[in-house]
């Protein structure tokens, strides 16, 4: 298995074309999802973004003005609605070539031993069950399609136990195992799977997170890295990380 973080054939930052390929970005209206959508559009891809919130889709379409960006109103946390969206997107745009799941949010609060169970259940649903639902609805459309890719975004809490953000660390680690199982079940199939772990905050043009520390990644950095991994012929392993020189690495066994 390739060493984690090694980018075989990666053309990071180069304008490798994705013209004509249909991508679904679940969570495409969020901070990380938006930078992925921007880069995919810049490389010529057709991009479908589902959201329960029409206003968020309108804001995204106002920010990224392209006739190749398509918003769909629906609930990807509900399997029947997520499946409906998948078939609708394929009918409108053609067969889906790749799916990016950029789901869940950062959280800080109580230690686990004093955590409200309702908060635990909400974070499990938002940060883990959402990934299962998107995989359950969309991955079957990719398994036998040549050059197809299923990619999720993760973060540093999945490999680093963060006190006060316990549910994020737990769901991040579980997301990684979900990807391991999906990859094992798809062994020998056409689809390629990746998890890209982003190990710094993502600094975008509308950054509102206070002072920016040296080494933090820009939205362009993250978008380009993900778009490279979605390119046909990319040869990286299941788990990828950015920046590559981090000391935190998932054990690949």
């Amino acid at each position: 298995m390739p060493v984690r973080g090694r980018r075989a054939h990666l053309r990071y930052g180069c304008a490798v074309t994705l013209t004509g390929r249909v991508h679904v970005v679940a969570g495409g209206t969020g901070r990380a999802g938006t930078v992925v959508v921007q880069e995919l559009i810049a490389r010529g891809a057709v991009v479908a973004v589902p959201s329960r919130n029409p206003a968020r889709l309108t804001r995204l379409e106002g920010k990224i003005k392209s006739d190749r960006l398509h918003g769909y109103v629906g609930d990807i946390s509900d399997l029947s609605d997520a499946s409906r969206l998948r078939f609708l997107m394929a009918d409108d745009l053609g067969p889906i070539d790749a799916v990016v799941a950029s789901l869940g949010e950062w959280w800080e609060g109580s230690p686990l031993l004093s955590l409200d169970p309702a908060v635990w259940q909400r974070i499990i649903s938002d940060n883990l069950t959402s990934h299962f639902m998107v995989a359950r609805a969309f991955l079957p459309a990719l398994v036998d399609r040549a050059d197809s890719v299923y990619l999720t975004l993760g973060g540093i809490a999945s490999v680093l136990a963060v006190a006060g953000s316990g549910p994020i660390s737990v769901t991040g680690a579980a997301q990684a195992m979900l990807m391991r199982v999906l990859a094992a079940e798809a062994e020998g199939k056409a689809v390629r799977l990746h998890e890209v772990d982003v190990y710094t905050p993502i600094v975008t043009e509308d950054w509102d997170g206070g002072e920016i520390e040296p080494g933090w990644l820009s939205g362009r950095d993250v978008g380009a890295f993900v778009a490279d991994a979605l390119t046909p012929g990319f040869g990286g392993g299941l788990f990828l990380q950015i920046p590559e020189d981090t000391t935190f690495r998932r054990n690949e066994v």
Side-chain angles (χ1 to χ4, degrees), residues 9-236:
H9 312 302
L10 188 64
R11 294 151 289 192
Y12 174 45
C14 299
V16 179
T17 182
L18 294 170
T19 300
R21 286 175 61 81
V22 177
H23 294 69
V24 176
V25 182
T29 62
R31 181 182 297 274
T34 296
V35 301
V36 172
V37 173
Q38 287 176 311
E39 186 66 22
L40 293 177
I41 290 294
R43 299 197 189 191
V46 176
V47 181
V49 177
S51 177
R52 289 174 292 190
N53 190 328
R56 296 188 72 173
L57 289 173
T58 299
R59 284 196 297 271
L60 181 69
E61 291 165 343
K63 184 174 185 176
I64 308 172
K65 295 179 173 62
S66 172
D67 60 6
R68 287 179 283 104
L69 174 59
H70 304 268
Y72 290 83
V73 178
D75 185 1
I76 57 174
S77 68
D78 178 83
L79 181 57
S80 61
D81 206 30
S83 299
R84 176 189 67 82
L85 288 171
R86 169 192 148 191
F87 286 109
L88 179 59
M89 291 170 180
D91 285 345
D92 289 347
L93 308 175
I96 296 168
D97 295 295
V99 174
V100 177
S102 175
L103 304 167
E105 296 180 346
W106 183 259
W107 179 90
E108 296 179 3
S110 304
L112 286 177
L113 295 185
S114 57
L115 182 67
D116 184 338
V119 174
W120 169 267
Q121 291 292 347
R122 177 182 62 78
I123 296 172
I124 291 291
S125 177
D126 291 347
N127 288 33
L128 180 59
T129 305
S130 59
H131 277 282
F132 166 72
M133 288 297 187
V134 171
R136 178 66 177 79
F138 286 89
L139 190 50
L142 302 180
V143 289
D144 294 317
R145 182 163 177 77
D147 292 324
S148 62
V149 186
Y150 187 88
L151 184 150
T152 64
L153 292 182
I156 196 169
S158 66
V159 294
L160 178 68
V162 181
S165 297
I168 303 301
S169 290
V170 171
T171 54
Q175 177 188 323
M177 183 53 72
L178 174 65
M179 289 297 287
R180 289 185 187 278
V181 174
L182 291 173
E185 292 179 345
E187 186 174 0
K189 300 293 187 179
V191 67
R192 171 164 50 86
L193 287 86
H194 300 292
E195 177 176 306
V196 173
D197 290 326
V198 182
Y199 283 170
T200 81
I202 302 172
V203 181
T204 57
E205 58 191 30
D206 56 352
W207 173 258
D208 57 1
E211 184 177 356
I212 299 170
E213 296 185 12
W216 283 5
L217 297 162
S218 70
R220 168 69 173 134
D221 291 332
V222 174
F225 190 101
V226 171
D228 285 341
L230 293 169
T231 302
F234 174 79

